[in-house]
Amino acid sequence: MNNDLAIVLFSLLLVLINVNLMKSQVAFGGEVSSKDCADDGIGTGGKLRPGGYQTSCPEAEAIIFARVEEAVIKEPRIAASLLRLHFHDCFVNGCDASILLDDTDSFVGEKTAGPNVNSIRGFEVVDIIKSDLEFVCPKTVSCADILAIAARDSVLLSGGPGWEVETGRMDSLVASKDDANNNIPGPSSDVNTLVAKFQNVGLSLGDMVALSGAHTMGKARCSTFASRINGSPDPHGAVINSEFLLTLQQLCSGPDNNRTLAELDLVTPATFDNQYYANVLAGEGLLQSDQVLVNGDGGTRQIVELYVEDPLAFFKDFAVSMVRMGRLGSLAGSDGEIRTNCRAVN
């Protein structure tokens, strides 16, 4: 049996595994369907729908799941990286895979923007998925849909909720470093800035608090939270636990601290759960943009407290907000394409 045929057969087997995992989520807290988000004010423009590849490429979601699972088993951190790719993509002119484009003579892409440089990763996993899909279903599955499905599978494989991913996105023809710099919330943001960044793309304060829970997985460089540990008073009133502060200061005291990584969640770093919210209540939010959720007066603290008490409420809200975010800026017709190589336009 050649390798390509083996991949196809293995992917079909993963359909059953994927379905069983989804069923386990239903038993645990309920899989969120697109109907739960039908009246959210963010329209799909008639382009996005769940199960969009059932006819054109029925193996698509199984292939993506298999490759994400393979990558997560090899390196659990990659789950957070694939989730972040989808986030950072959607906040720049919508979910159009612009984040995957390499620089060209006509534009500077988003990979070297401030929020992305030395931060986003997982491109090689996307390349492998795209190669598999092009073999099985040429010119059918968009890179933007790959990012959306891989993000869901990364959460699911890390113990988080499942949801129906709406598909039908097109891939962008351009990318913008400037837009990435301006649109993606930064690690030193205060609550007002976070809310404004989310509202600018059509997402609510509630979406912001729920989606911030993605920081229950992954790592961040010392340089991204230097303002939290340098001893100066925080201008936004974000407190920090003294023992946690000492731990971070020791971790980031080396000569090459810009390359040193800290867990966003020290307690359960590779598990998607509600521990992130317990951390910020205890003054142990790694980033300033995490800790300010419990220091502002805009209602964010009450949501954090709810998620600490009720993890299923967090799971449901996170899944609903992911569907809402996935609807941002869907391209149509000649405005986009199905890339055969996610790093370059056709």
Side-chain angles (χ1 to χ4, degrees), residues 121-143:
R121 54 198 295 275
F123 300 109
E124 294 79 7
V125 178
V126 177
D127 291 340
I128 293 170
I129 292 170
K130 185 59 176 174
S131 177
D132 288 351
L133 291 171
E134 285 300 306
F135 175 78
V136 176
C137 309
K139 301 179 182 179
T140 302
V141 182
S142 70
C143 300

Side-chain angles (χ1 to χ4, degrees), residues 21-35:
L21 276 171
M22 288 295 189
K23 287 180 178 178
S24 71
Q25 289 301 324
V26 173
F28 180 65
E31 179 191 348
V32 170
S33 75
S34 59
K35 293 179 181 179

Side-chain angles (χ1 to χ4, degrees), residues 115 183-190 193-194 197 287-289:
N183 297 354
I184 299 172
S188 298
S189 300
D190 59 16
T193 300
L194 291 172
K197 294 281 189 183
L287 307 180
Q288 179 176 290
S289 57

Side-chain angles (χ1 to χ4, degrees), residues 49-87:
R49 67 186 192 280
Y53 293 113
Q54 286 180 356
T55 300
S56 61
C57 188
E59 306 94 339
E61 292 203 31
I63 289 172
I64 296 170
F65 183 87
R67 287 303 193 181
V68 172
E69 182 183 43
E70 178 182 74
V72 170
I73 290 173
K74 183 178 180 180
E75 183 197 5
R77 180 190 171 198
I78 203 67
S81 300
L82 292 171
L83 180 57
R84 182 179 295 177
L85 272 180
H86 183 47
F87 268 80

